[in-house]
Amino acid sequence: MSIIPQTLRDEHAALAAELHEANHRYYVLDDPTLTDAEYDAKLRRLQAIEAEHQELATPDSPSQRVGAQPLASFGSITHGQAMLSLANAMSADELREFDQRVRRTLELGESDPPVRYVGEYKIDGLGVSLTYEQGILVRGATRGDGSVGEDVTQNLRTIRSIPLRLGAVEPMPARIEVRGEVYLSKAEFVRLNEARELSGEPLFANPRNAAAGSLRQLDSRVTASRRLDFIAYTCGAVEGATWPSQSAFLTWLAAAGFAAGEHRLLDGPEAAVLFREEAAERRHALPYDIDGVVIKVDDAGRQKVLGELSRSPRWAIAFKLPAEQAETVIRDIEASVGRTGAVTPTAVFDTVTLAGTRVTRASLHNQDEIDRKGVFIGARVIVQKAGDIIPEVVRTLDEMPADREPWKLPTACPACGTPVLRPEGEAITRCPNRSGCPAQLQARLEHWVARAAMDIDGVGESLLAQLVSAELVGDVADLYTLTVEQLAALPRMGQRSAENAVAAIEASRRRPLERLLFALGIRHVGESGARGLAAAFGSLEAVAAADLEALAATPDIGATTAAALVEWFADPASQALLSKLAERGIEPQAPDRVSADPRFDGKTFVFTGALTRLSRDAASEEVRRRGGKTAGSISKLTDYVVAGEKAGSKLDKATRLGLAILTEDEFEAMLALSDGAD
Ligand code: IVH
């Protein structure tokens, strides 16, 4: 073993401390201190030191956040103290009964003051248990059956709001199981599903499922890419510390570096009823899904007296919120074929209003889902919005009449008639006719022209449908041989639109490499993966020639995506497409920067409101090309806020924080300046 100079040890310790602090400020306090560039630079330096001196890469090092080698399977962990669940109260009366039971057990009389409770939000995620020894995170487990859970330590280490070591707090227990909820915010859920849709992967039904799927990954780098969050709310076994109350424990959690959820002290059951009513009103504005509030007796001595039943404590209760649901009738089930050939059933029902919007359709995902829910045409069903956003059928209210057949996905592709396949053990049914199925072709073309892909304005869904049915295009490369005459001859196409469409197609020949990589529609390759590939390899040929290891080592590319890439480039059909594209003059441009303009380089831009001339995507791309970054939300680290028309709350926040605010004109002037410098 090499001897590590003390100065290097000190530097490593200082970097680790700074990175821990930066994580806490960013992910727990929402009050960042370092810019992303500064954070990255420090992390890279830390990693460089650890590469030379591996004994410094301890489990609590900030370097462990990026994920580790995939596991073959999860081990199991026996909880030091069982992970209980909670009894439910569904109404104010049931909550009052809970309070009565508490008072009886505590032998309180009518004249005794109300019991003091703590109200917390009940986040709809997954309960996990984190074991800290001498303040260092050593293990983390899922709830499992309550006594034994799965060892997901590697994955939990990637969650930025989980401290790898506790802050200096009093008391510091020799050992503690900190418990709380791992969840995915609604915004991350939407982002994840959008990315999955674009890369042809099945969608998650709701944030809870997405969080569960992300946490139970054998490849922790996948978990790291999912931006899970954690809120702590209780403890299991503890050695060497006690707290007088739940509220004191929550204060300790925050001081130790956890995000402890919002909570309130509540005197008596009526305050708890009010707390739930307020939660019901705030629910849609919260960044995460809640399915209720949890009401806990605050005093630790009283908790002890109340004790536990076999599965749940007698000192706490989940006071549920009704899910915003509606009843409707299924009128039809449609099967549609996507880009990858996946045949997806969608329920069409009588319009209902949910969380403020009108809803008529919900994906049923796959055959298993239909069977499990017993969905059939004519059934009365309950629908709700998963994560407040994506409509889903929760359950069927009617038994299927005896004279009705259960709805089955067609055995032949609804678009091309080819018999569909469902591989053993997979949920998705696919049309295998990759090259001949018009629905797949249509979906691939739509993806190709999309704004985030080749950005071909003026060639939309309906024109593509006409091109497919007239057999003018058989693949995306055929777009590049279309003539104005051919297009103008189509129904409802004028000379002008035909000229515009051809010009737009023409202009797309020299898009940046990352857009082409995304446009090809390779499974699992989303926008950020494509950007990572373009930056790492620089040319299409280099990506095609890369082996599995090189691909998997690319930022934003996991093992699954790497395998999908290798498979795609090895497929003769893909190779034929690539040579056809090259023949037709598609020349992806290597990642470039217009210039390292100091106005943009390393700066973070946030767009708000509607831009009138550039699309948001195009504006973001301009910023990126000049070395800048864009973010979705405003923080102290934002350098510029570009305010378009009808800019709302973001603009207010920017004003409050005293940030530099640009109008669309000023932003464009800035772009023009650096173009001139090129
Ligand atoms: S306390 C002994 N507090 O809800 C105490 N649980 O239905 C047990 N949950 O298994 C848990 N938010 O996964 C507690 N503020 C909160 C919670 C919470 C969500 C989950 C937890 C638990 C389940 C019970």
Side-chain angles (χ1 to χ4, degrees):
M1 196 193 290
S2 60
I3 294 172
I4 308 175
Q6 189 58 39
T7 49
L8 207 56
R9 268 187 201 283
D10 291 347
E11 186 190 354
H12 181 271
L15 282 168
E18 273 186 274
L19 291 165
H20 280 307
E21 164 74 6
N23 254 310
H24 182 241
R25 296 288 296 242
Y26 192 101
Y27 291 99
V28 177
L29 304 181
D30 196 14
D31 181 19
T33 42
L34 296 184
T35 64
D36 292 0
E38 287 165 341
Y39 185 91
D40 290 345
K42 288 184 198 290
L43 180 61
R44 272 199 302 276
R45 174 68 189 142
L46 180 96
Q47 286 168 326
I49 298 175
E50 291 181 359
E52 291 290 310
H53 303 284
Q54 283 176 9
E55 59 267 50
L56 291 177
T58 52
D60 64 326
S61 165
S63 62
Q64 305 304 304
R65 298 256 189 223
V66 292
Q69 282 307 309
L71 301 171
S73 64
F74 295 118
S76 49
I77 287 182
T78 304
H79 300 303
Q81 188 175 302
M83 284 182 83
L84 301 178
S85 61
L86 295 169
N88 290 332
M90 306 305 284
S91 65
D93 278 343
E94 288 183 21
L95 193 274
R96 293 181 187 116
E97 284 165 22
F98 162 77
D99 175 64
Q100 285 304 321
R101 282 196 300 277
V102 166
R103 293 185 71 91
R104 268 200 307 279
T105 317
L106 295 176
E107 297 177 356
L108 298 176
E110 300 249 318
S111 56
D112 287 308
V115 173
R116 168 159 289 189
Y117 297 104
V118 179
E120 299 166 14
Y121 289 147
K122 186 168 182 298
I123 297 183
D124 200 8
L126 285 94
V128 300
S129 185
L130 308 171
T131 304
Y132 289 84
E133 286 175 2
Q134 311 300 343
I136 306 284
L137 175 66
V138 292
R139 271 187 303 283
T142 60
R143 182 170 182 281
D145 64 4
S147 320
V148 180
E150 279 178 321
D151 183 346
V152 287
T153 311
Q154 283 198 357
N155 298 355
L156 290 167
R157 283 207 176 100
T158 70
I159 301 177
R160 306 298 174 114
S161 40
I162 292 183
L164 299 179
R165 46 166 103 138
L166 302 180
V169 265
E170 284 293 326
M172 176 57 82
R175 195 162 164 276
I176 181 171
E177 291 177 332
V178 173
R179 289 175 178 172
E181 211 73 1
V182 166
Y183 68 94
L184 199 68
S185 70
K186 294 178 197 171
E188 283 299 321
F189 168 65
V190 171
R191 195 185 65 84
L192 178 60
N193 260 357
E194 279 173 1
R196 287 173 76 84
E197 175 142 48
L198 286 171
S199 57
E201 291 163 90
L203 303 187
F204 288 115
N206 53 50
R208 208 197 105 79
N209 288 359
S214 304
L215 190 62
R216 294 194 68 265
Q217 288 284 339
L218 292 167
D219 186 347
S220 52
R221 290 168 303 184
V222 176
T223 314
S225 73
R226 298 279 173 85
R227 300 278 159 217
L228 293 167
D229 254 304
F230 177 75
I231 278 187
Y233 47 68
T234 194
C235 58
V238 185
E239 285 165 27
T242 53
W243 292 269
S245 63
Q246 170 69 7
S247 47
F249 182 64
L250 291 174
T251 307
W252 180 90
L253 282 172
F258 292 96
E262 290 188 51
H263 64 277
R264 192 181 308 159
L265 288 174
L266 307 164
D267 287 315
E270 298 316 315
V273 170
L274 262 175
F275 181 66
R276 183 184 78 147
E277 275 169 22
E278 285 175 25
E281 272 167 32
R282 284 195 59 201
R283 175 183 208 175
H284 301 302
L286 292 173
Y288 40 71
D289 251 1
I290 60 170
D291 60 348
V293 297
V294 183
I295 305 297
K296 301 175 179 176
V297 171
D298 189 36
D299 185 80
R302 285 181 160 179
Q303 288 186 359
K304 213 162 174 176
V305 174
L306 287 157
E308 265 118 45
L309 297 168
S310 64
R311 300 189 53 102
S312 57
R314 263 191 296 237
W315 46 265
I317 195 154
F319 191 5
K320 301 281 252 187
L321 285 174
E324 234 196 89
Q325 296 184 330
E327 190 184 315
T328 183
V329 177
I330 303 240
R331 296 298 174 194
D332 196 9
I333 299 175
E334 292 173 357
S336 62
V337 183
R339 209 172 72 225
T340 59
V343 186
T344 309
T346 300
V348 183
F349 42 77
D350 292 342
T351 307
V352 287
T353 302
L354 284 175
T357 54
R358 288 155 58 81
V359 186
T360 54
R361 306 163 68 84
S363 173
L364 292 165
H365 304 293
N366 53 56
Q367 186 68 51
D368 289 349
E369 187 87 351
I370 293 180
D371 298 346
R372 200 166 55 73
K373 292 182 175 161
V375 175
F376 59 96
I377 293 172
R380 285 183 309 139
V381 292
I382 297 292
V383 291
Q384 70 179 21
K385 278 198 168 174
D388 260 2
I389 303 150
I390 297 182
E392 67 172 335
V393 174
V394 184
R395 63 174 188 279
T396 311
L397 297 173
D398 301 319
E399 285 283 318
M400 195 171 58
D403 60 350
R404 209 63 80 70
E405 290 281 301
W407 194 89
K408 293 283 173 214
L409 273 173
T411 52
C413 171
C416 70
T418 308
V420 295
L421 299 175
R422 179 175 169 185
E424 192 66 37
E426 279 192 29
I428 307 262
T429 303
R430 282 180 208 275
C431 161
N433 182 13
R434 268 193 66 81
S435 53
C437 174
Q440 288 187 51
L441 175 59
Q442 168 87 20
R444 277 201 296 273
L445 289 164
E446 282 175 20
H447 179 67
W448 182 267
V449 303
R451 201 174 260 173
M454 300 301 267
D455 191 16
I456 307 185
D457 214 16
V459 180
E461 237 173 84
S462 62
L463 174 57
L464 291 172
Q466 293 193 61
L467 294 172
V468 171
S469 71
E471 295 182 13
L472 285 174
V473 295
D475 59 32
V476 295
D478 289 343
L479 288 172
Y480 295 89
T481 55
L482 292 170
T483 62
V484 173
E485 293 68 43
Q486 280 174 319
L487 295 187
L490 293 170
R492 296 185 306 281
M493 274 298 274
Q495 178 74 16
R496 271 290 285 282
S497 332
E499 281 167 10
N500 288 343
V502 169
I505 293 170
E506 188 59 41
S508 76
R509 280 184 212 271
R510 294 168 61 81
R511 292 276 183 251
L513 174 61
E514 66 229 41
R515 285 173 166 270
L516 177 73
L517 283 166
F518 174 61
L520 288 171
I522 302 165
R523 272 180 89 183
H524 307 291
V525 179
E527 277 179 81
S528 56
R531 264 203 295 282
L533 288 169
F537 293 96
S539 75
L540 190 58
E541 294 69 32
V543 180
D547 61 14
L548 199 63
E549 286 71 40
L551 291 166
T554 313
D556 289 316
I557 299 290
T560 322
T561 315
L565 281 157
V566 169
E567 192 184 325
W568 194 88
F569 281 105
D571 183 348
S574 312
Q575 290 167 4
L577 177 67
L578 291 179
S579 23
K580 202 164 158 190
L581 283 168
E583 271 164 35
R584 304 206 166 157
I586 315 309
E587 281 178 43
Q589 304 300 295
D592 67 339
R593 284 188 179 186
V594 166
S595 65
D597 185 322
R599 277 174 296 251
F600 291 88
D601 204 26
K603 298 279 198 294
T604 303
F605 286 70
V606 174
F607 294 99
T608 176
L611 300 181
T612 53
R613 288 176 296 272
L614 280 176
S615 70
R616 273 227 190 152
D617 287 345
S620 304
E621 170 119 9
E622 294 295 340
V623 169
R624 268 201 299 276
R625 287 176 59 211
R626 289 163 172 79
K629 281 203 257 197
T630 55
S633 61
I634 287 178
S635 74
K636 283 184 193 159
L637 297 182
T638 309
D639 294 292
Y640 292 102
V641 177
V642 182
E645 281 174 13
K646 299 214 179 75
S649 61
K650 279 190 201 167
L651 185 55
D652 298 341
K653 186 166 177 191
T655 316
R656 242 186 357 262
L657 291 175
L659 299 175
I661 298 168
L662 302 173
T663 62
E664 186 174 355
D665 288 342
E666 287 166 336
F667 173 68
E668 288 196 349
M670 239 171 107
L671 291 179
L673 273 179
S674 70
D675 277 340
D678 196 23

